[in-house]
Amino acid sequence: MTRIAVVDKSKCSPVRCGDYLCIRLCPVNRTGTDCILKDDEGKIRIIEETCTGCGICVNRCPFEAISIVNLPAELDKPPIHRYGENGFALYNLPAPIFGKVVGIIGRNGIGKSTAMKILAGALKPNLGREDDAKPEEIIEYFKGTEAHLFFEKINKKEISLSYKPQQVDLIPRHFKGTVDELLTKADEKGEKEKIIEVLELGKILETDVTKISGGELQRLAIAACVLKKANVYFFDEPTSYLDIKQRLKISKFIRELADEKTAVLVVEHDLIILDYMSDLVHIMYGKEGTYGVVSMVKSTKAGINTYLSGFLREENVRFRDYKIEFNERPPEESSEGALLASWDKIDEKLGRFTLVAEPGEIRRKDVVGILGENGIGKTTFVKILAGEIKTKGSLADLKISYKPQYIEQDDKPVASLLANAEKYDVAFRHLNLKPLMEKSLSELSGGELQRVVCASALSKEADLFLMDEPSAYLDVEQRLAMSKIIREIMTQRGKACLVVDHDLLFIDYLSKKLIVFDGVPAEFGDVKGPFAMQEGMNHFLHDLGITFRRDEENRRPRANKKDSQMDNKQKAEGKLYYS
């Protein structure tokens, strides 16, 4: 059996644990054999060859700095890459396939971006050693697989690569100038004008890259990626910061890149978009921060359904102990809660932007999803209700807990923010917050920060909870866990919640009702609702021109292909939302 030991050096604190508690407790050390030792930095290191996997150090470490994992028997090869002794290990790689869009699905922290960087040439694999592996060794490692052909072509320089990284917010740190200047520099194909039109970048060409929004940065990064002469394109989370309309456009655009001479590989957490965009899927499973494994390739439908089931039949691996399933049909509104609050008509002019909303109400136990394009007033509406923008639409007489869209990071300790969260065990446990308690906010990743701030907002004593984009930076499982937590807390405590988000699957899983925004971005927003789910989704999808059905296996929402038999049938019946 292959066993790996991983030590999170950032959590390891020998002085605070009582002078190397794990070293003193290790039964192998007590026999006189070296197993857990001090390293040159004063932290610990574990010799995997002598470790028996007893679990004492794992269970007794007060900071959860140690992971000992027995890997599946099928993993008889060394990892394709390991981040040093007792570091994260990645097994296998996804394979780009010409003429196809290949998607990657999996939790955060199990190596998706590492796999993309290796394939894109941004990280050299080491086969678990201290030195980088030679190209011939990598080719031999993947003999008999799709990846073997890919690395052979790389070695022969028959493949050129282009990579869109995950963190588009870092672009302004690495490039100084306007959007037009960046695109001119990236344009190797002479297609700049065409891409500007397709990705709707014309209005910001003369804007400095430090002044554009997250959604504009994302579209700029995609444009720069596809303007390079390449026949394999890599997109790491291409739809973050984008609204649903933009996500669908980008998905169609990326899908059209793949042809007999071009391969596309995509990491994506929005399952509806992944389903819409990709032909094939690799599932990645493992343990966050410890190891990751890439599954065999599957058709998109089978791959997503397998991921939701938590069981890889061909590999005989169960990577989650429960299935994720969805409602058969939109939630019924048979048990309306008591009226919690209502707002007056809103007609607010903020600079050049006008927001209009008819009077509305929200009831106890309601979870109301809010859908609409970027720049159409969703955040403004939520801020008005929260009293952050003073107007007669405010619900300031209520106790309100507000989770903003953009979260500031500072040196405040996580423990102080979550002082009340532990009493809501469901949120604390399912969001895996305990390992973060010793950190400060400035040390957290985007996903960790989102989980902490959402848990903090949900643990406050409030009547109404306003959550602006709580799914940002979260993986699929974390998004569904978050939606379940929000729903359960509102039901158990008799409170209500408004949730702004762009992930339709998240909103579908979460909401009892919908508020829909119409209008013109940056000019005018018109608030409609709250509606029952059926009516609200029909209204929203009508403008998008798409229809949704439910998967027969787990009832997840799936977008119909445009002008397919099901798409035409649902449009004819006026049932755009799951006939």
Side-chain angles (χ1 to χ4, degrees):
M1 177 182 292
T2 304
R3 179 180 295 116
I4 64 169
V6 175
V7 178
D8 187 335
K9 300 290 179 75
S10 67
K11 294 179 182 177
C12 179
S13 182
V15 176
R16 292 171 62 204
C17 77
D19 194 22
Y20 297 96
L21 179 64
C22 57
I23 291 178
R24 291 187 283 111
L25 291 176
C26 176
V28 179
N29 282 359
R30 288 183 169 189
T31 67
T33 302
D34 287 341
C35 182
I36 306 180
L37 306 171
K38 299 177 188 178
D39 68 10
D40 295 338
E41 300 172 0
K43 304 287 187 176
I44 66 157
R45 68 185 183 90
I46 300 174
I47 301 172
E48 291 171 342
E49 290 77 13
T50 59
C51 175
T52 62
C54 68
I56 291 174
C57 61
V58 176
N59 295 324
R60 293 296 298 275
C61 175
F63 310 117
E64 299 187 356
I66 304 172
S67 295
I68 309 289
V69 177
N70 294 323
L71 297 173
E74 292 80 5
L75 297 179
D76 54 356
K77 277 183 163 184
I80 182 66
H81 190 73
R82 192 162 190 188
Y83 288 98
E85 183 184 34
N86 298 151
F88 176 86
L90 174 66
Y91 292 84
N92 205 2
L93 285 175
I97 299 174
F98 285 86
K100 304 290 184 184
V101 177
V102 178
I104 304 172
I105 180 174
R107 297 171 60 190
N108 285 337
I110 57 168
K112 297 187 302 298
S113 292
T114 295
M116 291 279 274
K117 287 176 182 176
I118 291 172
L119 290 167
L123 175 66
K124 291 186 177 180
N126 58 22
L127 299 183
R129 308 181 314 229
E130 291 185 7
D131 58 320
D132 294 339
K134 296 176 181 176
E136 299 78 21
E137 293 178 294
I138 301 301
I139 292 168
E140 181 63 26
Y141 183 94
F142 286 108
K143 197 169 183 179
T145 69
E146 286 281 353
H148 175 259
L149 182 62
F150 173 78
F151 282 107
E152 268 195 335
K153 288 187 174 183
I154 287 282
N155 198 38
K156 293 176 182 175
K157 302 191 183 325
E158 294 176 0
I159 284 179
S160 51
L161 311 170
S162 185
Y163 173 52
K164 198 290 296 180
Q166 178 185 9
Q167 293 177 290
V168 296
D169 51 316
L170 299 181
I171 290 174
R173 296 189 194 178
H174 301 290
F175 180 84
K176 305 300 179 188
T178 66
V179 169
D180 189 54
E181 288 168 344
L182 189 152
L183 292 175
T184 299
K185 185 177 179 180
D187 188 14
E188 298 174 355
K189 300 196 257 186
E191 295 182 355
K192 187 179 82 168
E193 299 306 320
K194 171 187 169 186
I195 297 302
I196 287 170
E197 183 178 353
V198 172
L199 297 182
E200 299 176 349
L201 295 168
K203 292 182 179 179
I204 59 168
L205 286 177
E206 300 308 316
T207 308
D208 193 277
V209 294
T210 60
K211 306 293 184 186
I212 62 178
S213 69
E216 290 163 342
L217 273 173
Q218 184 69 267
R219 285 180 283 133
L220 174 61
I222 292 169
C225 177
V226 299
L227 283 171
K228 291 182 180 176
K229 269 185 187 170
N231 49 9
V232 181
Y233 292 94
F234 300 90
F235 298 94
D236 198 344
E237 298 190 30
T239 69
S240 56
Y241 299 107
L242 302 182
D243 63 43
I244 183 61
K245 185 179 284 188
Q246 293 167 337
R247 290 181 184 200
L248 289 165
K249 284 182 179 177
I250 290 296
S251 300
K252 186 172 182 288
F253 174 70
I254 289 175
R255 186 171 181 81
E256 289 173 351
L257 289 175
D259 58 32
E260 60 183 14
K261 296 180 180 178
T262 310
V264 178
L265 202 67
V266 181
V267 170
E268 180 57 58
H269 290 303
D270 184 329
L271 286 188
I272 286 176
I273 295 302
L274 183 70
D275 192 6
Y276 192 76
M277 183 184 349
S278 60
D279 301 293
L280 302 165
V281 164
H282 286 280
I283 295 168
M284 288 193 65
Y285 63 94
K287 184 176 180 182
E288 181 181 350
T290 303
Y291 77 102
V293 183
V294 181
S295 78
M296 295 184 288
V297 73
K298 302 177 185 298
S299 70
T300 298
K301 177 183 175 181
I304 293 176
N305 285 352
T306 296
Y307 181 74
L308 294 174
S309 77
F311 179 63
L312 285 159
R313 193 175 304 279
E314 291 85 354
E315 288 100 321
N316 194 28
V317 171
R318 182 164 294 284
F319 56 89
R320 194 189 320 108
D321 59 6
Y322 61 92
K323 292 181 179 180
I324 297 171
E325 295 181 312
F326 294 78
N327 294 320
E328 175 104 17
R329 54 183 62 84
E332 298 294 333
E333 306 302 328
S334 55
S335 54
E336 287 277 349
L339 181 67
L340 175 67
S342 60
W343 56 86
D344 298 326
K345 179 170 182 175
I346 298 170
D347 192 341
E348 193 72 16
K349 191 166 181 63
L350 301 162
R352 293 181 299 172
F353 182 77
T354 302
L355 181 71
V356 175
E358 293 302 315
E361 64 180 35
I362 189 166
R363 295 181 172 271
R364 293 189 181 276
K365 302 185 181 182
D366 270 354
V367 180
V368 182
I370 299 178
L371 292 172
E373 291 183 69
N374 284 336
I376 207 164
K378 302 184 302 297
T379 296
T380 300
F381 176 67
V382 168
K383 284 184 173 181
I384 287 173
L385 296 184
E388 295 210 357
I389 297 175
K390 303 301 180 185
T391 179
K392 61 183 180 181
S394 171
L395 302 178
D397 53 330
L398 283 180
K399 284 185 182 178
I400 291 176
S401 178
Y402 172 52
K403 199 291 292 184
Q405 178 182 6
Y406 298 110
I407 306 167
E408 292 185 10
Q409 283 183 280
D410 53 35
D411 292 326
K412 189 181 297 180
V414 169
S416 68
L417 208 63
L418 296 178
N420 296 317
E422 281 192 83
K423 65 183 178 182
Y424 300 112
D425 183 58
V426 62
F428 201 82
R429 181 163 32 87
H430 290 298
L431 293 179
N432 194 26
L433 299 172
K434 188 177 178 182
L436 308 178
M437 295 295 277
E438 298 292 326
K439 295 186 176 184
S440 67
L441 295 180
S442 60
E443 295 177 284
L444 302 180
S445 69
E448 290 171 340
L449 184 65
Q450 187 72 266
R451 280 148 49 202
V452 166
V453 173
C454 285
S456 174
L458 291 169
S459 66
K460 290 177 180 173
E461 292 297 331
D463 300 303
L464 179 63
F465 296 82
L466 304 174
M467 310 289 285
D468 200 343
E469 298 199 27
S471 81
Y473 300 107
L474 301 185
D475 63 41
V476 174
E477 292 184 45
Q478 290 167 345
R479 291 179 186 196
L480 296 177
M482 182 70 73
S483 67
K484 188 175 181 183
I485 289 161
I486 291 171
R487 205 171 54 208
E488 286 184 7
I489 288 176
M490 298 311 124
T491 301
Q492 291 167 6
R493 294 164 62 188
K495 310 300 184 181
C497 187
L498 298 183
V499 181
V500 176
D501 214 274
H502 294 301
D503 185 332
L504 277 181
L505 185 137
F506 177 74
I507 289 291
D508 174 85
Y509 199 69
L510 169 82
S511 307
K512 291 175 68 177
K513 297 177 181 176
L514 279 182
I515 290 174
V516 180
F517 277 65
D518 295 329
V520 180
E523 294 182 19
F524 173 69
D526 187 9
V527 185
K528 302 287 181 65
F531 299 111
M533 283 293 286
Q534 180 83 53
E535 185 180 0
M537 286 298 287
N538 271 340
H539 184 98
F540 180 69
L541 295 176
H542 182 269
D543 287 342
L544 291 179
I546 60 173
T547 60
F548 279 81
R549 69 190 185 283
R550 286 202 181 270
D551 185 84
E552 62 275 10
E553 185 174 325
N554 48 42
R555 318 314 297 165
R556 66 181 168 93
R558 301 186 67 197
N560 292 315
K561 295 289 187 284
K562 187 173 175 60
D563 294 325
S564 67
Q565 184 178 353
M566 184 64 76
D567 180 55
N568 291 331
K569 177 176 180 289
Q570 288 183 222
K571 284 176 179 175
E573 293 174 350
K575 296 178 180 178
L576 310 185
Y577 175 67
Y578 323 130
S579 64

